[in-house]
Amino acid sequence: WNTRLKREHERFLRHEIKNLLTPIQGYAEILRYKNSLDKTDTEYVGYIYEGTQKFLDFIDKLKQLQDLENGDVQTQNETFDLIPTLKKITEDLQTNTTTSKLDLPNELMIVADHELLQKTLHHLIKNAHEQDLEDSTQKTITITANQSGKTLQIEINNQGPELPPEDCETFFQKFNSKNKSEAVGLGTTYAYWIIKIHDGDISVSSNKQNGTTVTIKLPQEALNWHWR
């Protein structure tokens, strides 16, 4: 009963916050296209619009994460090649301040929920790019993938400063945005739960020589189940 009451309370809060933010964003959108505003006012209105959009996106992400934690996500498994997905994500997330290095086989077939796994890899690679890297020698994000038997392994590495053990322990916890300038800290938690519902394993390691590495291990044929 307490769990159900908590879920209803969270759902109510999300609904009410959205109801409050939506008209603010709507009015800001109307003002953005009014010719009577000068350049500075138009810029300020743009900030209001973008800020409310980020808040609304955050609410949606929080709901998705709570659904995962509560076991309310059903996987829709399909067979696909993971390599094009990794290449596309890397291309989309490439920045002017970091370099991406890929060490991938020609093909890596898997049976999994493509959309959920794509979002997971996007979050983790984005997280690697968002780390506050100190100098040019650290700014290479390396992504490797291989297969051993029926297990696929993916590693995402950045050459940033070593994370202390306590940071590795909390790496997949909610709102953990340490060492990231612009992040709310939900991406790694989301990734953790998606890997778990695919009957996989995810971990992080960090040292001075090799930087920080997130390792994902997935069965080539994930179970099609409702996580409980």
Side-chain angles (χ1 to χ4, degrees):
W1 168 255
N2 288 337
T3 300
R4 180 180 176 184
L5 188 63
K6 181 181 177 183
R7 291 186 191 180
E8 290 296 326
H9 184 250
E10 291 170 348
R11 188 178 297 112
F12 173 78
L13 285 178
R14 288 195 301 267
H15 179 73
E16 289 303 306
I17 292 172
K18 275 197 164 187
N19 282 346
L20 292 170
L21 285 174
T22 301
I24 296 173
Q25 186 185 49
Y27 290 133
E29 185 172 19
I30 293 171
L31 289 172
R32 288 172 81 189
Y33 299 104
K34 285 185 72 71
N35 296 328
S36 58
L37 295 182
D38 62 28
K39 182 178 179 181
T40 300
D41 289 341
T42 301
E43 185 177 354
Y44 290 158
V45 169
Y47 291 149
I48 295 171
Y49 179 86
E50 292 168 6
T52 52
Q53 185 60 55
K54 287 180 180 179
F55 207 144
L56 290 169
D57 290 343
F58 170 76
I59 294 171
D60 288 339
K61 288 177 182 177
L62 195 57
K63 180 187 182 303
Q64 293 170 3
L65 183 54
Q66 288 170 337
D67 286 343
L68 284 165
E69 292 174 330
N70 293 331
D72 295 330
V73 176
Q74 174 71 49
T75 58
Q76 302 294 326
N77 289 352
E78 59 183 292
T79 303
F80 63 96
D81 184 0
L82 198 56
I83 300 306
T85 299
L86 282 168
K87 288 181 177 179
K88 180 66 166 59
I89 294 170
T90 304
E91 181 181 331
D92 290 344
L93 291 176
Q94 183 60 50
T95 71
N96 294 326
T97 58
T98 55
T99 301
S100 295
K101 179 182 177 183
L102 302 180
D103 183 8
L104 309 173
N106 293 328
E107 183 181 84
L108 205 60
M109 301 303 296
I110 187 172
V111 179
D113 189 308
H114 182 264
E115 182 179 354
L116 292 179
L117 198 54
Q118 183 180 40
K119 288 181 179 178
T120 295
L121 294 168
H122 184 278
H123 282 307
L124 293 173
I125 296 172
K126 185 173 184 286
N127 180 74
H129 280 286
E130 286 177 343
Q131 297 296 320
D132 295 330
L133 305 178
E134 295 179 347
D135 57 60
S136 58
T137 62
Q138 300 176 347
K139 297 181 184 299
T140 298
I141 309 301
T142 304
I143 301 167
T144 61
N146 56 69
Q147 180 172 355
S148 177
K150 293 294 184 179
T151 301
L152 309 186
Q153 179 166 307
I154 304 162
E155 293 185 350
I156 301 165
N157 168 271
N158 76 60
Q159 293 294 311
E162 178 184 8
L163 296 180
E166 58 269 24
D167 286 358
C168 289
E169 290 177 5
T170 61
F171 191 82
F172 299 106
Q173 291 183 6
K174 279 186 288 191
F175 309 118
N176 175 29
S177 58
K178 191 170 183 180
N179 298 322
K180 290 173 280 184
S181 299
E182 298 182 7
V184 294
L186 292 180
T188 54
T189 312
Y190 178 92
Y192 171 88
W193 284 104
I194 293 299
I195 296 303
K196 287 299 179 184
I197 69 173
H198 281 87
D199 201 31
D201 182 70
I202 184 170
S203 60
V204 63
S205 61
S206 188
N207 57 59
K208 291 181 180 179
Q209 291 74 30
N210 301 314
T212 300
T213 303
V214 172
T215 301
I216 302 167
K217 293 182 179 179
L218 286 165
Q220 191 171 25
E221 294 191 17
L223 298 175
N224 190 6
W225 64 356
H226 192 174
W227 175 260
R228 289 294 183 186

